[in-house]
Amino acid sequence: MTRADVEFRSGPDRCRGWLYLPDTGRPAPIMVMAHGLGAVKEMRLDAFAERFCDAGYACLVFDYRHFGASDGEPRQLLSIRRQLDDWAAAIAYARTIPGVDQRRVVLWGTSFGGGHVMVAAARDGDIAAVISQCPFTSGTASVLAMDPMTTVKVTARAVADLGAVVLRRKPVMVALAGEPGDAALMTAPDVVPGYLPLVPEGHPFTNEVAARVVPTIARHHPGRALANLTCPVLICVCDQDSVAPPRQTVRYARRGPTTRLIRYPEGHFDIYVGDAFEEVVADQVDFLDRVVPLE
């Protein structure tokens, strides 16, 4: 396989990422891939992309605007609307890449991105397949899973940041990963030991986002889009998920007319590494082989 640095325009900015091309000698279906809440592509997306490329699929892996290698000011601004626009821009770019099967685009997302792919596929209407792992599907379920004191602290940060928007001041930030009771978006006991080690040693990473996103997360329910998808969909759910509550995801998945659900006895961060990673990526390759076979 080969991996090249690429970029494409999304709104006024540029998203940057990696393009993996398999050495198959024929146009391959292309998978568009992005990460979850505040995460960047270096946090194990390369491991997934390498497996998919080994299986014969091209992969476009990108960072959202305001994060990682992509443009966007202020930094660490998490906007659901802009991230969905980034998905649309990435899909459009994937359909222009020479040497791939531009008719067959697969969306792959994890965690917060696992919800994005559901909405992005529904909006596009011409996606070959969707893979969503440990997905965020319900803002209500995620808020209810938070410790009440954490909810109070995070909400206070959000109110302060919305005030900063009005006053045109720099953003008020909130941590992404924190210990139980911290003012952070993720505070379950397995978050700090599970999320932060995904960052490669020495790679720059900022463990915070602008707090103004909190109200939009609470109102966001991407799992509802599953009922409208007609392409094949694979949902990989972690039954011990402390970040994206699995119960509501399972309910949404059962409403999807083309959705296949696989459940794993794992936590939210377990499937990025070790034996759990090997199991889930093997299941995803098997799904691809069946619904988007190589020609």
Side-chain angles (χ1 to χ4, degrees):
M1 73 177 74
T2 61
R3 189 181 94 176
D5 295 333
V6 294
E7 60 181 49
F8 55 89
R9 185 166 294 280
S10 181
D13 302 309
R14 289 195 173 274
C15 290
R16 295 185 176 86
W18 300 318
L19 175 63
Y20 291 79
L21 293 175
D23 186 16
T24 59
R26 60 183 182 274
I30 182 163
M31 302 179 65
V32 181
M33 306 174 58
H35 222 308
L37 193 72
V40 294
K41 63 186 184 299
E42 286 81 6
M43 295 167 69
R44 292 288 291 173
L45 292 199
D46 49 350
F48 283 93
E50 287 169 7
R51 293 300 182 88
F52 298 141
C53 199
D54 279 342
Y57 297 85
C59 297
L60 171 63
V61 185
F62 72 95
D63 284 330
Y64 299 111
R65 284 178 290 171
H66 307 279
F67 292 91
S70 294
D71 294 341
E73 294 291 340
R75 303 304 293 169
Q76 304 302 117
L77 176 64
L78 201 168
S79 164
I80 293 173
R81 177 182 58 82
R82 293 187 188 191
Q83 291 193 351
L84 288 171
D85 288 345
D86 294 345
W87 273 101
I91 294 166
Y93 172 66
R95 289 178 173 142
T96 69
I97 296 173
V100 306
D101 186 344
Q102 301 164 351
R103 302 169 295 115
R104 296 196 292 167
V105 176
V106 177
L107 305 189
W108 184 99
T110 187
S111 192
F112 208 60
H116 284 339
V117 292
M118 300 173 189
V119 178
R123 289 183 176 181
D124 183 273
D126 192 26
I127 297 300
V130 170
I131 298 175
S132 175
Q133 67 173 30
C134 56
F136 169 93
T137 58
S138 169
T140 300
S142 292
V143 170
L144 291 175
M146 294 178 69
D147 174 78
M149 184 55 65
T150 295
T151 302
V152 171
K153 293 177 180 178
V154 168
T155 300
R157 296 284 181 93
V159 170
D161 193 33
L162 291 170
V165 174
V166 174
L167 298 174
R168 297 186 178 182
R169 294 178 178 173
K170 67 179 183 178
V172 176
M173 311 301 280
V174 64
L176 288 160
E179 300 289 351
D182 286 352
L185 298 181
M186 300 181 290
T187 60
D190 62 335
V191 167
V192 169
Y195 181 81
L196 296 180
L198 297 178
V199 182
E201 185 175 356
H203 185 79
F205 179 73
T206 303
N207 182 30
E208 62 183 13
V209 294
R212 69 195 67 173
V213 73
V214 171
T216 59
I217 289 177
R219 298 193 302 268
H220 191 45
H221 297 84
R224 294 172 180 170
L226 285 176
N228 300 317
L229 291 181
T230 57
C231 65
V233 180
L234 175 63
I235 307 294
C236 300
V237 172
C238 295
D239 282 336
Q240 306 302 317
D241 200 319
S242 63
V243 174
R247 180 178 298 180
Q248 186 58 53
T249 297
V250 171
R251 289 174 180 166
Y252 282 135
R254 288 173 175 164
R255 298 173 192 167
T258 59
T259 298
R260 181 188 178 197
L261 176 68
I262 303 180
R263 303 175 71 164
Y264 303 86
E266 308 290 349
H268 187 84
F269 304 101
D270 295 333
I271 61 175
Y272 294 99
V273 295
D275 291 342
F277 163 77
E278 298 293 343
E279 183 178 2
V280 73
V281 77
D283 288 341
Q284 292 172 4
V285 169
D286 178 69
F287 171 77
L288 290 169
D289 286 342
R290 289 186 295 103
V291 305
V292 194
L294 302 179
E295 295 179 348

